[in-house]
Amino acid sequence: MRFLMIEDSADLAQSVAERLRLDGHAVDHAGSLADAEDCLSAAPYDLILLDLSLPDGDGRDFLIRQRRARRDVPIIVMTARAGVADRVDVLDLGADDYVTKPFDFAELEARCRAVLRRRGGATQTVQRFAGFTFDPLTAQLVVADETRELRNRELRLLEILLAAPGRIFSKSQLCDRLFSYAESVSDNAIEVYVARLRKKLDGSGARIETVRGMGYRLSTT
């Protein structure tokens, strides 16, 4: 998944980004609301982590603009304001969740997972499709009673494809979802991860189909 973190503390942003990247997420950092708008105009995001106190404005105004524009990307507010009224305020403005600073990284990761599951319409973490079982929390894929471990980018790629079976994703779309601006990506990076995931799916009723000149889609054999 690709996340946008809007946070003016470079140290905190770096720490959070490093932790989320260990889970295979791509993370872009915006230190101001203006930078955030530039990022949003250039790439799609699966989730936004939003600080409220920013050098060029209040994060709540950003939140209001997103919801008025009917942009439904999930937003988790990161705030030092611990009062009940403050938390109720951001939720009423359209935030999907919040964490209070200082927060534990494990809690932030859990809240990200929960918000993404809710937005995907899923209440259970385990997913089943065409003869395989997939649990993103344990990074395990089970095919014919055989457990196969997924590496971070393989896991995220499967999440993307499994969220929309039959939909064609171009290489550029997959790059946008899997890698941040700070990462150097070669032309064949997506091909490498697709090839690895195909091997992991071998023996199930699912396959990653190459649609010539268009991209890839998850289908059944």
Side-chain angles (χ1 to χ4, degrees), residues 5 12-22 25 27 29:
M5 180 166 46
L12 176 60
Q14 181 178 355
S15 297
V16 172
E18 288 177 353
R19 181 63 179 256
L20 292 173
R21 285 169 185 152
L22 289 175
H25 299 294
V27 183
H29 171 227

Side-chain angles (χ1 to χ4, degrees), residues 139-143 146-150 199-203:
Q140 289 184 339
L141 177 71
V142 179
V143 178
E146 178 187 347
T147 299
R148 303 170 183 180
E149 302 293 333
L150 295 174
K199 290 181 180 179
K200 299 290 177 68
L201 291 172
D202 188 42

